[in-house]
Amino acid sequence: MVEFQHDWPLASALIERWRLESYTFHPPCGEMTITLQDVAYQLRLRIDGDPVGGCIEDKQSQTKWTVKLTWFHNTVCSELEQDTTEERLMRYTRGYIMQLIGGILFPDASDSRVYIRWLSLLVDLNTYGWLSWGSAVLAWLYRQMCHAMEHGQCNLGGCVSLLLSWAYHHFLLLRPDGFNTRRFSLIERWIQYWPDNARGESRLRHYRCTLNGIGMLNVDWMSYANPQLIGKVPPAIAEAEALAALVCLLLCFAIIEWHQVDGVVRQFGGLQHILTRPLNIDEMHRLDGRFGRDEWFP
């Protein structure tokens, strides 16, 4: 498993500027947000396809039953033998995907366990690739960032690597050394090392001051328009890019979030228009699969 080094002070500074009313960050340069385009280009996941979800008869397995990630690492994904059987290989593959799901793409605030509901999507490995994993990752990240704003919440779940990489791509003043030579996606991940005297609270204050001083000229609004990126983007992602600018629902099992990108038109090269009233998502935030409802969104 690949482990990413997260810059938690930067993540904290970004969450302080997250607004539930519009699902956007509010730097001085204007509203911005993480979109399906960012997910497609940086994670290289499908943003079209079938919704990620399903109807599981045992509803507790949707939200309650979890397995430690270390169990998958030590038990299911132990070293493969040279003459391994196909059944063992499939078991190893499912275990590895579960680690990706619970450790990188869909971690909760604990960052150490994974819900077993994901196994229902891995029964047939020939069909799971047709699911819209990108939209599910974004829905999960939106929900986790909203939870992080609750009083007394100390941890942040969701794909934090996507959050940080999005900031690096769009805010010039936040980019680590060597960013322009080592990007483009999380697959080609860079790691920035900080001196010992630049940790914790001092770095948080630094990022707050940096975000306060970001102007229009310090923002790369269309980070993916570089001609040099042509060829690095898988054809399936390039074909689905038009979907990235749609206002639509994002589904991840019982989680429902809005991809409300009409407030960040500049990220798609357009001229920002006057916004209509934001969509009311209060009722949707109550749908998390823990209240005994009979409806489970497929």
Side-chain angles (χ1 to χ4, degrees):
M1 282 293 295
V2 178
E3 295 182 359
F4 296 149
Q5 178 180 339
H6 291 152
D7 190 343
W8 291 109
L10 175 55
S12 298
L14 292 170
I15 292 299
E16 290 175 352
R17 292 183 173 272
W18 178 252
R19 293 295 176 266
L20 296 111
E21 300 85 359
S22 57
Y23 271 40
T24 55
F25 298 97
H26 281 221
C29 58
E31 294 183 68
M32 302 182 69
T33 195
I34 305 172
T35 70
L36 288 173
Q37 184 184 50
D38 299 297
V39 177
Y41 275 89
Q42 296 188 40
L43 294 179
R44 299 181 183 176
L45 294 175
R46 290 186 65 122
I47 59 175
D48 57 348
D50 298 327
V52 172
C55 298
I56 300 178
E57 293 182 2
D58 187 350
K59 296 179 181 179
Q60 283 187 325
S61 64
Q62 291 252 10
T63 57
K64 182 178 179 181
W65 291 353
T66 61
V67 178
K68 287 186 176 181
L69 289 170
T70 52
W71 181 82
F72 280 102
H73 180 74
N74 298 329
T75 305
V76 181
C77 293
S78 55
E79 188 173 351
L80 281 173
E81 305 82 6
Q82 264 191 329
D83 55 346
T84 185
T85 63
E86 183 176 355
E87 180 181 357
R88 171 75 178 93
L89 182 60
M90 291 297 99
R91 186 167 177 259
Y92 181 95
T93 302
R94 292 187 181 93
Y96 187 82
I97 294 174
M98 287 293 284
Q99 290 182 78
L100 289 175
I101 288 173
I104 297 177
L105 299 179
F106 300 93
D108 57 15
S110 69
D111 200 27
S112 62
R113 307 182 72 90
V114 58
Y115 294 104
I116 64 171
R117 63 185 174 193
W118 300 103
L119 279 174
S120 65
L121 305 178
L122 305 180
V123 174
D124 186 355
L125 294 180
N126 293 320
T127 60
Y128 91 101
W130 296 98
L131 298 177
S132 182
W133 289 99
S135 61
V137 167
L138 189 56
W140 185 268
L141 178 59
Y142 280 173
R143 181 61 60 91
Q144 293 297 320
M145 289 195 294
C146 291
H147 285 334
M149 297 186 64
E150 296 175 359
H151 179 71
Q153 184 68 28
C154 299
N155 298 324
L156 173 63
C159 189
V160 179
S161 299
L162 173 62
L163 168 65
L164 298 178
S165 186
W166 171 83
Y168 295 151
H169 275 81
H170 290 287
F171 297 120
L172 306 182
L173 299 180
L174 296 178
R175 290 179 176 177
D177 296 335
F179 172 84
N180 291 323
T181 59
R182 280 181 280 178
R183 62 171 170 170
F184 162 67
S185 72
L186 289 176
I187 309 300
E188 304 157 3
R189 176 70 180 181
W190 60 88
I191 297 179
Q192 181 180 20
Y193 294 95
W194 292 81
D196 292 340
N197 60 353
R199 294 180 177 176
E201 186 65 28
S202 62
R203 282 170 57 191
L204 178 58
R205 290 195 298 268
H206 165 73
Y207 286 131
R208 285 170 175 167
C209 293
T210 301
L211 289 172
N212 287 338
I214 285 180
M216 295 291 293
L217 298 179
N218 304 127
V219 177
D220 188 353
W221 291 99
M222 298 181 63
S223 181
Y224 313 116
N226 191 333
Q228 295 180 354
L229 301 181
I230 299 176
K232 286 191 173 184
V233 181
I237 291 177
E239 293 172 3
E241 186 178 0
L243 299 176
L246 293 179
V247 176
C248 59
L249 284 173
L250 304 173
L251 301 180
C252 178
F253 282 94
I255 291 178
I256 307 175
E257 300 291 354
W258 281 104
H259 187 239
Q260 197 164 331
V261 293
D262 55 341
V264 292
V265 180
R266 284 177 294 184
Q267 289 184 222
F268 299 97
L271 182 64
Q272 183 60 53
H273 55 271
I274 298 176
L275 295 179
T276 56
R277 179 176 295 183
L279 300 169
N280 188 342
I281 58 173
D282 292 340
E283 178 60 27
M284 295 182 183
H285 267 216
R286 299 187 183 99
L287 300 176
D288 60 1
R290 293 185 297 179
F291 297 103
R293 287 180 169 82
D294 294 328
E295 292 181 310
W296 296 88
F297 298 90

